[in-house]
Amino acid sequence: MMKKLRQLWKFLSRRFVLFLLYFVLPILVGWFMYAIFSASLPRDLPIGLVDLDRTSASAEVVFAINASPTMYIKREYGSIMEAKAHLASAEIYALAVIPHHFERDLTLGKGAKLALYYNAQFVLVGKALNSAFAQVVGTLDAKQSVAQNLIKDGDLHLALSKAMPIFSQIIPLYNASSNYAQFLLTLLLPCMLQILSALAMIQLLKSAPHSFKSLFIRYVGNTMVFVWWGICMLLLLKNLGFEVRGSFGLLVVGVGVLLLGINGVVVCLQALLLDIKKTIGVVAVYTAPSLAFAGVTYPQNSMNLLALFWSKLLPISSFMELYIQQANYGGSVSGAWQILGEMSVFVLFFVLGSLIYHARRGR
C-alpha cells in the first residue's frame, strides 16, 4: 500500500498541473464560491435618487427606501441624465425617481407614481431591487389608503380592511428564506467539479494510452478522485443547512455517474482529435455553458429547441434534475434511478473512445 502511495506521489510531483487540479483548485474554487455567496441575501445595494418634488411625502419615500435592508440611497442627482453614467458603470445599481407634484397627486388621489430604473443585465441584483422597491411602494400605498379611509370612516379596523381587502400568504416549499447561496452554490459547485474533472482527464491523456488497461486505470482513477471531492461538496451543502429530503446515497451515485460521463466525453474527444489543445478548446465550449443550460437559472420548459437540445447534451443537466428531485422534493427512488439511467448514457462515450483508440493502435 505504501509503495503504491509513493508511486502516486512521485507521479503527481512530476505533473504540477495535475497536482493543482487534484488537491488545490477544488479547495480554492469551493472557498471562492462560498465566499461570494456567504451573505446569502443581497443587502445594502447602492442606488441613486432623483427627488423632483422635495416635500414631506418625498422625504417619507426616502426614509422608506433607506429602511429597506436590500438597498440604500448612496447619492442624489438633479436629473436622470446626470445619473446615467453612474448607472452604466454600476457605481449605483438602480435609480429611484420621485416626480414633480408627487405630494399633490398623492393628496388629491390622482395616482402618484414612483419610478425605478435598473440595469436588467444584473439579473439577481435587479430582481432583488425590483422586489424591495415594490415592497416599499406597497407599504406606502397601504399607509396612504389607511389614512384616507380613517378620515372617512373613523374606524381603524374598517380603514385597514378597505385598504387591504386581500392578504397574501405565500409559503415556499423549499429555500424559505430565498437564500441565494442555496440557489446558486448547489449549481455552481457541481459545474466547477465537472470542469476540473474534465481538465484533469485531459492532462492524463497527454500521453496516449498504450492499452485498454492503461486507459481504464486513468479513467477510473480520475473519476474516483473527483467523486471524493463530490462527496465533500455534498457534505458541505448539507452542513450549510440546505435541505436533503431524499436519499444522500443516491446523490453520491449521481456524482459518480456525472463524473464517469464527463470523463467519458473527454476520452472520446481526445481519441478523435489526438490533439490536447484542440481537445481543451472543444471541452471548454462544451462545458462552459453548463451554468446557463443546466435548467436551474433558466428552466428547461422555457428553452427553445436548440437550447433544450444543448441542455440534454450536458450530463450536468440530468444531475441537477436528480439533485433538485432528491434534495428539495424528496422524490421517489424509482424516479431517481430513471434519471441515473439517462445519465449513464454518457458513459458510452468512454466505450466509443476506447474503441477509437484500439482501432488507431491497430493501424
Side-chain angles (χ1 to χ4, degrees):
M1 183 65 178
M2 292 302 297
K3 183 179 179 181
K4 293 289 184 182
L5 290 175
R6 282 196 296 268
Q7 289 176 347
L8 177 62
W9 177 256
K10 187 177 180 180
F11 173 79
L12 292 175
S13 63
R14 294 197 302 266
R15 292 164 175 80
F16 181 68
V17 174
L18 203 58
F19 180 83
L20 286 176
L21 290 169
Y22 279 170
F23 300 109
V24 180
L25 287 180
I27 297 175
L28 286 180
V29 170
W31 173 83
F32 181 71
M33 293 297 177
Y34 173 73
I36 291 175
F37 300 105
S38 59
S40 301
L41 296 171
R43 295 182 181 276
D44 296 327
L45 298 172
I47 70 170
L49 174 71
V50 176
D51 187 355
L52 301 175
D53 194 48
R54 299 287 178 181
T55 60
S56 59
S58 66
E60 187 178 2
V61 173
V62 173
F63 178 81
I65 290 175
N66 284 325
S68 170
T70 305
M71 56 187 174
Y72 75 98
I73 296 172
K74 181 180 180 180
R75 183 171 175 178
E76 292 194 30
Y77 301 89
S79 67
I80 295 176
M81 291 304 297
E82 185 183 335
K84 187 176 179 181
H86 287 168
L87 190 61
S89 64
E91 184 173 332
I92 57 173
Y93 288 114
L95 179 68
V97 179
I98 304 174
H100 291 291
H101 311 304
F102 175 73
E103 186 175 54
R104 185 196 67 184
D105 294 342
L106 200 63
T107 304
L108 297 176
K110 290 185 177 181
K113 296 181 180 179
L114 294 173
L116 180 74
Y117 299 93
Y118 64 92
N119 190 343
Q121 289 179 323
F122 300 110
V123 180
L124 295 178
V125 170
K127 181 181 177 182
L129 287 172
N130 188 31
S131 176
F133 194 74
Q135 289 179 357
V136 168
V137 172
T139 302
L140 292 172
D141 186 48
K143 288 172 65 177
Q144 182 66 19
S145 297
V146 169
Q148 291 176 348
N149 293 331
L150 190 59
I151 293 172
K152 293 178 182 178
D153 302 315
D155 185 280
L156 179 59
H157 295 291
L158 184 59
L160 282 170
S161 63
K162 284 185 176 181
M164 295 177 288
I166 299 175
F167 291 87
S168 62
Q169 183 177 3
I170 301 172
I171 302 174
L173 296 177
Y174 66 97
N175 197 0
S177 60
S178 299
N179 186 335
Y180 279 106
Q182 182 173 349
F183 173 62
L184 288 174
L185 280 180
T186 53
L187 171 62
L188 287 170
L189 292 180
C191 285
M192 292 300 104
L193 185 72
Q194 70 156 0
I195 291 174
L196 292 176
S197 181
L199 290 174
M201 195 71 235
I202 292 171
Q203 289 296 317
L204 289 172
L205 295 174
K206 268 189 173 182
S207 57
H210 53 79
S211 65
F212 173 77
K213 181 180 178 181
S214 173
L215 178 62
F216 185 76
I217 289 173
R218 300 181 202 190
Y219 174 67
V220 173
N222 187 68
T223 300
M224 292 294 289
V225 170
F226 286 98
V227 164
W228 185 81
W229 283 116
I231 294 172
C232 292
M233 173 192 73
L234 293 174
L235 289 173
L236 171 65
L237 295 175
K238 187 175 182 180
N239 288 332
L240 288 174
F242 302 165
E243 294 100 334
V244 182
R245 298 177 178 178
S247 170
F248 186 84
L250 283 173
L251 292 178
V252 173
V253 174
V255 168
V257 178
L258 167 69
L259 295 171
L260 287 171
I262 194 66
N263 289 336
V265 171
V266 172
V267 169
C268 186
L269 288 172
Q270 178 59 15
L272 286 170
L273 300 173
L274 292 179
D275 187 313
I276 290 295
K277 292 181 180 179
K278 290 181 180 179
T279 302
I280 290 174
V282 175
V283 169
V285 171
Y286 177 66
T287 58
S290 297
L291 187 64
F293 292 99
V296 177
T297 56
Y298 192 78
Q300 289 184 347
N301 57 10
S302 298
M303 294 180 181
N304 59 33
L305 187 60
L306 180 60
L308 185 60
F309 173 74
W310 192 265
S311 176
K312 295 299 183 182
L313 287 178
L314 296 167
I316 189 68
S317 301
S318 297
F319 175 77
M320 291 312 303
E321 184 181 354
L322 175 70
Y323 183 87
I324 291 171
Q325 187 231 47
Q326 286 297 308
N328 295 336
Y329 303 146
S332 65
V333 175
S334 60
W337 281 111
Q338 183 179 349
I339 298 172
L340 288 169
E342 295 172 1
M343 290 175 65
S344 64
V345 172
F346 289 94
V347 181
L348 296 177
F349 281 99
F350 171 72
V351 178
L352 180 59
S354 303
L355 293 174
I356 295 172
Y357 269 122
H358 177 73
R360 288 188 164 173
R361 282 197 305 269
R363 289 179 181 176

